[in-house]
């Protein structure tokens, strides 16, 4: 909840205002044994994760962990922007290995902000969030998109 409240910043979000999804069983150590290029796997993820998330029509959808950078394109999402890592697009207090990508579904219009970094699949620390959001908003505005 800390991350969500840091991201929203103007108001406090209560737990009953948030929906959490796990990419399970793919969110386990057996992830590497699942081939997201396989049509059956893509169909399961699309049907039981992507479609319900799109139906929520939420302002923000976040995905934490490196596997999402492969899963989202495999189920029809295009990467709109990527910042962090070794790129020139950095933000204050950034975890050096953190990479953030914004992905948009070709079919539903749903957009997902995916984040990854070495060591864990968790969200950014509190000291990163405001400047990360500002940079991401700026990049999306330059592309004529906004969240």
């Amino acid at each position: 909840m800390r991350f969500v409240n840091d991201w929203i910043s103007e108001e406090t979000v209560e737990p009953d205002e948030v929906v959490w999804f796990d990419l399970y069983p793919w969110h386990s150590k057996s992830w590497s044994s699942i081939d997201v290029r396989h049509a059956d796997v893509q169909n399961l993820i699309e049907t039981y994760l992507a479609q319900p998330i799109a139906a929520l029509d939420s302002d923000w959808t976040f995905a934490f962990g490196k596997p999402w950078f492969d899963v989202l394109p495999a189920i029809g999402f295009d990467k709109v922007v990527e910042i962090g890592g070794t790129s020139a697009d950095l933000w204050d207090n950034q975890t050096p290995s953190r990479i953030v990508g914004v992905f948009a579904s070709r079919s539903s219009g749903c957009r997902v902000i995916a984040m990854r970094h070495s060591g864990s699949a968790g969200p950014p620390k509190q000291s990163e969030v405001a400047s990360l959001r500002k940079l991401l908003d700026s990049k999306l505005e330059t592309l004529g998109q906004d969240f």
Side-chain angles (χ1 to χ4, degrees):
M1 288 303 304
R2 181 214 37 94
F3 169 73
V4 174
N5 282 306
D6 291 344
W7 189 267
I8 303 288
S9 76
E10 310 95 38
E11 57 192 74
T12 301
V13 178
E14 298 298 327
D16 63 350
E17 298 175 291
V18 177
V19 177
W20 303 94
F21 291 90
D22 274 328
L23 189 56
Y24 184 83
W26 301 280
H27 187 69
S28 68
K29 293 183 189 280
S30 67
W31 174 268
S32 61
S33 67
I34 303 296
D35 186 354
V36 297
R37 295 171 298 181
H38 193 278
D40 289 341
V41 174
Q42 292 172 6
N43 186 45
L44 285 171
I45 296 170
E46 175 68 26
T47 301
Y48 295 105
L49 234 59
Q51 289 176 8
I53 290 170
L56 292 172
D57 195 30
S58 66
D59 291 336
W60 297 284
T61 301
F62 298 96
F64 300 105
K66 184 179 178 184
W68 286 104
F69 285 75
D70 295 327
V71 169
L72 291 167
I75 61 169
F77 282 73
D78 293 321
K79 190 185 305 176
V80 177
V81 67
E82 184 172 286
I83 59 174
T86 59
S87 77
D89 298 313
L90 305 177
W91 56 93
D92 296 340
N93 301 309
Q94 177 190 347
T95 298
S97 63
R98 187 173 313 281
I99 296 172
V100 178
V102 177
F103 295 82
S105 170
R106 286 180 227 122
S107 61
S108 71
C110 177
R111 291 187 296 175
V112 175
I113 301 171
M115 301 185 193
R116 71 179 198 224
H117 72 93
S118 302
S120 79
K125 57 189 180 252
Q126 189 171 18
S127 61
E128 283 185 74
V129 176
S131 60
L132 167 58
R133 180 162 180 196
K134 184 177 178 180
L135 175 60
L136 204 52
D137 285 345
S138 172
K139 295 295 269 184
L140 290 168
E141 186 176 313
T142 300
L143 295 171
Q145 301 193 19
D146 61 351
F147 257 97

